[in-house]
Amino acid sequence: MSKRWKLQLPLHLMIMPGLLLILVYQYVPMAGLVIAFMDYVPARGLFGSEWVGWDNFEYVFQLPDIWRVVGNTLQIAVMKIAAGLIFPIIAALLLNEIARMWFKRALQTMIYVPHFMSWIILGGILIDLLSPGKGMINDIIAWLGWEPQFFLGDNRWFPYVLVFSDTWKDFGFNTIVYLAALTAINPDLYEAAAIDGANHWRRTWHITLPGMRAIIILLLTLSLGQVLNAGFEQVYVLYSPQVYESGDIIDTLVYRMGLVNSQFSFATAVGLFKSFVSLLLISISYWMAYRFAGYRIF
């Protein structure tokens, strides 16, 4: 055991910075969750504020807009998960068919670049593109003879703008993950299927997709844990009071309650409720991945 410890010591030292970051920024702040059960006043601190039990949660669930906000969060998050699953798989399958390596790598780079841009930059680009007065998209719509649309100020369009822009930004990353999964498929399977008379679509359906199943289940399972995270930074950059009806999510509600209106206890109660539901959903997703696909992450 002493010899094994000496061999593994460099690995433990390498992982220590990451563990310290998680400890400092993820676990230590959990002590502040007690604010959800207090009438928290910053001047009095955690030990001087009055304990109110479940009153903050009762107040939160009596808010007139809380269920609309929860509904918006679920709708946007589920659409993002679905788009983030389907489009990267399609892109990976298409890129895998490209024979010229230089062209394939160029396309991979092009679709991957938006992943490195912040939502501040992409938000400015989207605002310019979708502007009802001088945006390029509305110029094209007007040229086709249709009525220009206020995409970022219309409740009918805003959720779909969020889903489209989020998919555009991040699907390049998952595409590369799926391409890596494709390299693990034995080429002999394709040759055997071709000899048996299977056409291209049959080989894709019976060999390629089953070969990607493990990584698909992994990414889907991990994404289910984020079903109540509809993307605060993106929504905060793009939304406005005109689209609160369709674009206001739990995280933006927490922001306005906690930081803008200084209702720290209520904001913490909403955040704790969201974390509890996320824990429940990710536990169910782990169980489903093992139950129906025989796949275990841990």
Side-chain angles (χ1 to χ4, degrees):
M1 182 173 291
S2 175
K3 183 179 180 180
R4 183 188 304 172
W5 170 255
K6 290 181 180 179
L7 290 174
Q8 294 180 353
L9 180 61
L11 301 178
H12 289 286
L13 293 177
M14 289 174 62
I15 204 172
M16 281 301 296
L19 290 177
L20 289 174
L21 286 174
I22 293 175
L23 179 65
V24 172
Y25 292 104
Q26 300 292 334
Y27 286 95
V28 172
M30 286 185 181
L33 292 177
V34 296
I35 295 175
F37 305 95
M38 309 171 80
D39 182 12
Y40 179 71
V41 178
R44 297 178 183 176
L46 291 177
F47 299 101
S49 299
E50 181 183 358
W51 187 269
V52 297
W54 298 96
D55 290 355
N56 291 323
F57 293 91
E58 293 178 2
Y59 172 80
V60 166
F61 289 115
Q62 290 174 359
L63 291 174
D65 297 331
I66 185 63
W67 296 114
R68 175 180 58 79
V69 170
V70 172
N72 291 342
T73 305
L74 288 173
Q75 177 190 5
I76 294 171
V78 169
M79 288 194 297
K80 284 183 177 182
I81 291 173
L85 178 69
I86 296 172
F87 288 101
I89 293 175
I90 295 175
L93 293 176
L94 293 176
L95 286 173
N96 191 54
E97 298 299 322
I98 298 177
R100 298 183 181 276
M101 189 58 63
W102 65 269
F103 186 56
K104 179 178 179 179
R105 291 176 177 174
L107 287 179
Q108 284 182 242
T109 303
M110 290 174 59
I111 65 177
Y112 195 35
V113 165
H115 178 75
F116 296 98
M117 297 184 183
S118 71
W119 275 114
I120 302 299
I121 296 174
L122 290 179
I125 294 173
L126 288 171
I127 290 172
D128 287 339
L129 288 175
L130 301 176
S131 171
K134 55 181 181 180
M136 184 179 68
I137 302 299
N138 274 308
D139 287 343
I140 296 174
I141 292 175
W143 179 75
L144 293 173
W146 299 332
E147 187 71 21
Q149 301 292 326
F150 189 11
F151 292 101
L152 297 178
D154 191 332
N155 286 299
R156 297 174 301 170
W157 290 104
F158 187 71
Y160 302 102
V161 171
L162 294 178
V163 175
F164 173 81
S165 58
D166 180 78
T167 304
W168 170 50
K169 182 180 186 298
D170 289 330
F171 89 102
F173 176 83
N174 287 341
T175 298
I176 292 178
V177 174
Y178 290 128
L179 281 172
L182 288 173
T183 61
I185 300 176
N186 189 350
D188 294 341
L189 297 175
Y190 293 103
E191 295 179 6
I195 293 173
D196 288 340
N199 59 25
H200 182 79
W201 295 109
R202 289 284 185 179
R203 295 195 295 269
T204 300
W205 183 259
H206 293 288
I207 298 175
T208 306
L209 291 178
M212 299 169 62
R213 184 176 63 178
I215 193 65
I216 291 173
I217 293 174
L218 171 63
L219 294 181
L220 178 61
T221 301
L222 294 177
S223 65
L224 288 177
Q226 304 294 321
V227 73
L228 290 184
N229 292 331
F232 167 76
E233 185 179 1
Q234 177 198 20
V235 177
Y236 180 73
V237 169
L238 296 177
Y239 87 148
S240 61
Q242 295 101 306
V243 290
Y244 277 179
E245 181 182 343
S246 64
D248 198 15
I249 61 175
I250 294 176
D251 289 336
T252 54
L253 176 65
V254 170
Y255 168 77
R256 291 200 307 276
M257 292 177 65
L259 296 181
V260 177
N261 298 328
S262 299
Q263 296 177 302
F264 302 108
S265 298
F266 301 139
T268 306
V270 175
L272 182 58
F273 167 72
K274 189 191 82 167
S275 299
F276 173 77
V277 175
S278 297
L279 175 63
L280 181 63
L281 290 173
I282 199 169
S283 300
I284 294 174
S285 66
Y286 284 163
W287 176 82
M288 292 178 63
Y290 176 70
R291 174 66 176 80
F292 296 104
Y295 185 81
R296 299 186 65 174
I297 298 178
F298 301 113

